[in-house]
Amino acid sequence: MLGRLLGGGLRGAGGGAPHLPPLLPPARGAADQTPPDLARERCKAVTSFYHQPAIDAAAERPSVRLTPTTMLYSGRSQDGSHILKSARYLQQELPVRIAHRIQGFRNLPFIIGCNPTILHVHELYIRAFQKLSDFPPIQTHADESQYCALLRQLLEDHKDVVTLLAEGLRECRRHIQDERLLRPFLDKTLTSRLGMRMLAAHHLALHEDKPDFVGIICTRLSPKKLIEKWVDFARRLCEHQYGNAPRVRINGHVAARFPFIPLPLDYVLPELLKNAMRATMESHLDTPYNVPDIVVTIANNDIDLVIRISDRGGGIPHDLLDKVTEYHFSTAEASAQDPRLGGPFRTLMDASGQPGPMHGFGFGLPTSRAYAEYLGGSLVLQSLQGVGTDVYLRLRHIDGKAESFRI
């Protein structure tokens, strides 16, 4: 029995949630700081709400995903009615999506679902469902203003969810025989989280009057300018760590502009650029002030946008190529042992303020891949072992000839 439990993990009776003890500590480092009264209040809220039929009922309802085009053209009105319509849509939609994710946590193997850090994330979703479900119907702009305050609070409460998931699953790693079994759960949880954050951020941004923007949708996005912004960010990190950074040349359709949502690119681009710069510097440690350039090529057409990032960082070894897009595998583990680096690059990456764990957690590339696929595109790596790596990021246009993705 114990052997089976530690091997693949047992689910609760009937495949549902495991039987939880009255109180398990939250994420590591936070438990010792939780006042007893707050701990009791949290325990009471979670255990009393955990089996509430409302979650099960909401989880049975389908999610209603919107196209960015719908969001774009319904994001304006002369009388401000679009604000109330958007809020009412979120009030109906967010509890359904959160309930779907709670079901995902309930169906995790027992040994993973009871990990304190994973349980803490599970608890965050339950609390979010409770707060959103308890909010009264939105009738007036005053109601909507209060709803916006709730959305901001929830966005703040959940800002570290990706880090916590990475940490919790890393703690459970020795109990997981096949990490590929967790890929569907992680893909769905991370992309659903991205979708909910995009919808909430879009609604909040509808209150702003920002040139060339409707909510979070930029009507004239310049991929070149966005790439340049994240190149500067990655180069500063690289120079701080290695004393130098590769130059980045951008070519292709550099004058292209089109409607798009920059938010997902703000997650993916810095990750891909940091990987390229780190690989370049670590493959030229003996000549850190004479390193080859990184080349970024933009290809724009009437169906999608393609961004190719080419480095001369030595490539990815044959036996590792299939693993770099799997969760919880990171090439940082080897580089962190090199005494010439003066400390792992991971420390800088995690302290940089960049959203989500990237280098060092083994979440960067697989999360970028999941986001690209969620946006109707793909992330493909082509490695020339001994030379370098080309990464192809393909994203579907929101107003192109092909059907757009849905959020």
Side-chain angles (χ1 to χ4, degrees):
M1 174 69 76
L2 182 60
R4 295 203 308 272
L5 179 63
L6 297 182
L10 292 178
R11 299 188 179 185
H19 176 71
L20 302 179
L23 178 65
L24 285 174
R28 179 182 296 176
D32 296 337
Q33 303 172 9
T34 305
D37 292 343
L38 179 58
R40 283 194 294 271
E41 187 273 334
R42 178 206 278 138
C43 172
K44 179 180 177 182
V46 173
T47 54
S48 64
F49 202 76
Y50 190 86
H51 295 289
Q52 189 167 101
I55 293 179
D56 297 327
E60 292 295 322
R61 292 163 52 193
S63 176
V64 180
R65 296 173 60 181
L66 301 179
T67 65
T69 307
T70 301
M71 296 167 61
L72 178 64
Y73 291 112
S74 63
R76 287 175 177 161
S77 65
Q78 292 186 347
D79 59 359
S81 60
H82 66 289
I83 296 286
L84 289 179
K85 290 178 181 177
S86 173
R88 289 165 184 159
Y89 163 74
L90 288 183
Q91 189 172 32
Q92 294 294 319
E93 181 67 13
L94 290 182
V96 172
R97 297 195 184 198
I98 291 174
H100 290 169
R101 293 302 90 231
I102 293 173
Q103 290 285 67
F105 279 97
R106 287 178 173 179
N107 291 328
L108 282 172
F110 182 87
I111 198 71
I112 298 174
C114 283
N115 170 271
T117 311
I118 299 297
L119 189 61
H120 177 56
V121 178
H122 188 172
E123 174 186 325
L124 285 173
Y125 277 86
I126 294 173
R127 287 180 159 277
F129 182 89
Q130 184 177 14
K131 290 178 180 179
L132 290 167
S133 298
D134 288 347
F135 197 89
I138 298 172
Q139 303 291 346
T140 66
H141 284 282
D143 297 337
E144 188 273 336
S145 180
Q146 293 180 1
Y147 191 72
C148 285
L150 174 59
L151 290 179
R152 293 188 186 94
Q153 176 196 336
L154 292 176
L155 286 172
E156 177 66 20
D157 290 346
H158 287 246
K159 64 179 173 41
D160 296 325
V161 159
V162 181
T163 306
L164 292 169
L165 280 174
E167 188 175 315
L169 290 171
R170 186 177 56 187
E171 293 167 357
C172 299
R173 188 175 183 178
R174 62 192 178 94
H175 302 305
I176 305 170
Q177 290 182 338
D178 188 353
E179 292 181 359
R180 290 174 297 179
L181 297 176
L182 285 175
R183 175 169 166 169
F185 167 78
L186 286 169
D187 279 358
K188 189 64 179 175
T189 299
L190 294 174
T191 56
S192 174
R193 176 181 181 272
L194 174 66
M196 287 188 284
R197 292 185 78 85
M198 289 169 68
L199 290 174
H202 179 72
H203 177 76
L204 295 173
L206 288 176
H207 290 273
E208 304 172 4
D209 188 13
K210 191 175 177 181
D212 296 329
F213 272 85
V214 176
I216 61 170
I217 303 172
C218 180
T219 57
R220 298 180 68 250
L221 178 75
S222 167
K224 178 176 181 285
K225 289 187 176 180
L226 194 61
I227 291 167
E228 288 174 337
K229 178 181 80 169
W230 289 115
V231 163
D232 290 342
F233 168 82
R235 290 192 87 245
R236 287 197 304 270
L237 287 177
C238 194
E239 288 171 353
H240 190 284
Q241 178 63 26
Y242 297 99
N244 191 28
R247 292 190 309 165
V248 177
R249 292 185 284 116
I250 304 175
N251 59 28
H253 296 148
V254 294
R257 284 183 178 270
F258 44 81
F260 205 76
I261 303 174
L263 181 61
L265 286 170
D266 287 337
Y267 284 84
V268 177
L269 283 177
E271 165 63 13
L272 301 182
L273 290 165
K274 288 185 295 188
N275 280 348
M277 290 189 184
R278 179 173 61 87
T280 301
M281 295 306 299
E282 293 187 6
S283 64
H284 295 83
L285 288 173
D286 296 327
T287 57
Y289 295 100
N290 183 22
V291 297
D293 294 351
I294 293 169
V295 181
V296 180
T297 303
I298 300 168
N300 184 44
N301 56 72
D302 56 8
I303 293 179
D304 55 17
L305 162 72
V306 186
I307 299 175
R308 181 183 65 188
I309 301 177
S310 303
D311 68 63
R312 301 292 293 272
I316 303 169
H318 296 82
D319 59 331
L320 302 183
L321 187 56
D322 292 338
K323 297 180 180 179
V324 293
T325 54
E326 294 177 5
Y327 292 100
H328 286 288
F329 174 84
S330 177
T331 55
E333 296 170 4
S335 65
Q337 305 302 318
D338 194 317
R340 296 175 291 179
L341 299 185
F345 205 19
R346 172 178 62 247
T347 305
L348 281 173
M349 296 305 186
D350 295 343
S352 65
Q354 168 65 18
M358 293 298 187
H359 173 85
F361 274 98
F363 259 46
L365 280 176
T367 301
S368 299
R369 171 197 51 76
Y371 285 176
E373 292 172 358
Y374 180 75
L375 299 173
S378 62
L379 182 69
V380 177
L381 279 69
Q382 297 287 344
S383 182
L384 282 72
Q385 286 78 9
V387 177
T389 302
D390 288 357
V391 179
Y392 294 84
L393 173 64
R394 187 179 295 271
L395 299 171
R396 187 78 59 87
H397 277 309
I398 68 176
D399 63 344
K401 288 187 175 180
E403 182 180 358
S404 176
F405 57 91
R406 291 179 177 267
I407 299 172

